[in-house]
Amino acid sequence: MSTLEEDKLILQGLAANDKQAIESIYRSNYAMIQAFILNNNGTYDDARDIFQEAMIVLFDKARTEQFELSSQLKTYVYSVCRRLWLKRLNQMHRFNGNLEHAENTVVVDEDMEQHEKRNADFTLMENAMSKIGEPCKSLLDAYYIQKKHMQEIAAEFGYTNADNAKTQKYKCLMRLKKLFFAQYKNGS
Amino acid sequence: MDDILLLDAVERYLRGEMSAEERTFLEEMRKKNPEIDQLVVEHTYFLNELDQFGSTKNFKHNLVEVETRLIEEGVISPAKLKGKAKVVYLWKRYRRIAAVAATIAGFVSLITAGVTSVYNNKQPNSEIELLNRKFTDLDKKVKEANNEIREVKGKIDPKFTLVSGGTGFLIDGQGYLITNNHVLKGKTIIATNDKGQQFYAEVCMRDDQRDIAVLKIADKDYVPVKILPYGISNSVNLAEPIYTVGFPKDDIVYNEGYMSSETGNKGDTLTYQIAIAADHGNSGGPVLNKNGDIIGILTKKAEGNGAVFAVKSRYIFNVMDALKKDTSYADIKLNTVNSIKNLDRVQQVKKVNNCVFLIKSYQ
């Protein structure tokens, strides 16, 4: 199998949230990224953070339908990490103007923009979720995130039937929606 | 109620669960009624957001799981302490070595100064050599004498006889130890640490039902441990890896295994069932999880199938609460903060060993 085909398979696995795919990306790229971060003013902790974030970028990208990798996976991961680290350094005012020479990188500007927007949305939803309280949080989590069936949820939460659970779920969803869009309008 | 139906319809519409008929109906409604159209658009957007949130959350969860495994395997380097914490950590770690080094350095410089002034250029080399040899001789004799003293000290008065023994571990650096009650059948109790130092200990409390006893090292030679490495944790998971250190013989022994059941013998809720190699002397020893948190006290081995049981750590808290009602013990503090979580197993065990004692009980 060529590298390109292999990369494609791994990304398919990643899009399906497959642990093996995650692991294989770590195994073949982590050492390189860690060395890069350590060589450029970073710590072991930074390396782990940056790599995690890059994995999320990659995950989001792999899930979009029209996704096509224009370079080798390795190059892409390196480019994203490099970009993320540059930003982090700038934020911490630790950047001394010369990041390790960048050969073999690809342009990831658009992906970064996407990622930042998604990140912001994720935080909004997380905030809204944390504000709706229990049992709403668990109820919505069970239905929309763990994708359990309504009958199952009714039994688990102790509702007498699925319809009651559904009504409760509806109320919770409305509250969540309100909280979510309220933050949105505030432009936070 | 209409809204519920409508939203339900929208969700089914988005998931593609609608029949062709229903679909056309809804699409007709959207065309006719701009409010409904708006609702569908808004809800679609929101559900997409929620879906995105859900999958990212699941993904993050998987990421952390994979990362943890790779850290254990050594593919990813664990976090290093940084900044001030590291300096403090290194200072604590090497304080004793630094002190010894400083003393030696001082000593050497004094001797050198003395030797140089006494033997300054006039004395022939042979005399220095002679002196040197005498010095080495003396040193050897001191060592021998020290060994003898240690041996004599180690000998317990022969009129005492050993009746029971096991393992114990510190729960408060001041010298409070937890062990099993059945380990303490005799009146005199000697706790020995992994370096072979022996201390007298007194019983503060016994709980026969839960088989827990609290000891206090009452010996002026005991140097309190400032920070205990492990915390005490109540949470356990079936199949999680565990380990123990104890004294099935006079030297400390490490063993590892896994959590087999959240109940003990015949459903006994006081204990967990664990699978681990253990012997009588392991009784009273700590059972730790992979983070280095104490989750139980190794207690007994079943006859026949060899299952091992450990008293649940939550009863340590119970026993402590009861003990603290006595005001003379009010200052006991259970350590729940774990400082060895990010160390590898070998380093964890090195730290834990300092806090584990061989308990012998004499009549």
Side-chain angles (χ1 to χ4, degrees), chain B residues 68-82:
Chain B
T68 319
R69 194 168 65 234
L70 291 176
I71 289 175
E72 271 169 17
E73 263 182 55
V75 178
I76 300 177
S77 318
K80 294 277 194 308
L81 295 166
K82 52 189 168 186

Side-chain angles (χ1 to χ4, degrees), chain A residues 17 19 23 27 34 44-45 52 56 60 63 118 121-122 141 143-144 147 170 174 177 184, chain B residues 3-4 7 11 15 42-43 45 49-52 55 57 60 62 65 67 69 73 77 79:
Chain A
N17 201 352
K19 281 186 210 162
E23 194 175 324
R27 283 191 191 278
Q34 180 174 283
Y44 289 96
D45 266 344
Q52 253 189 30
I56 293 169
D60 284 338
R63 271 162 35 99
R118 285 222 170 96
D121 283 352
F122 184 87
D141 198 272
Y143 187 76
Y144 288 103
K147 312 235 185 259
Y170 166 75
M174 284 300 110
K177 208 166 156 181
Y184 224 84
Chain B
D3 280 349
I4 301 186
L7 283 189
E11 282 181 18
R15 283 198 298 256
E42 187 195 274
H43 204 59
Y45 177 78
E49 285 290 320
L50 198 57
D51 196 50
Q52 179 80 31
S55 46
K57 204 175 148 193
K60 281 186 175 174
N62 279 351
E65 220 170 88
E67 207 185 52
R69 194 168 65 234
E73 263 182 55
S77 318

Side-chain angles (χ1 to χ4, degrees), chain B residues 301-322:
Chain B
K301 203 170 173 176
E303 297 291 327
N305 66 0
V308 177
F309 302 104
V311 178
K312 296 178 180 176
S313 57
R314 86 164 75 114
Y315 297 110
I316 299 180
F317 292 101
N318 287 359
V319 166
M320 278 317 180
D321 286 342

Side-chain angles (χ1 to χ4, degrees), chain B residues 320-343:
Chain B
M320 278 317 180
D321 286 342
L323 182 62
K324 275 186 181 173
K325 283 188 186 134
D326 181 343
T327 49
S328 53
Y329 296 120
D331 64 331
I332 299 186
K333 255 179 104 177
L334 280 188
N335 188 37
T336 48
V337 184
N338 177 332
S339 59
I340 50 175
K341 190 172 175 183
N342 293 321
L343 299 182

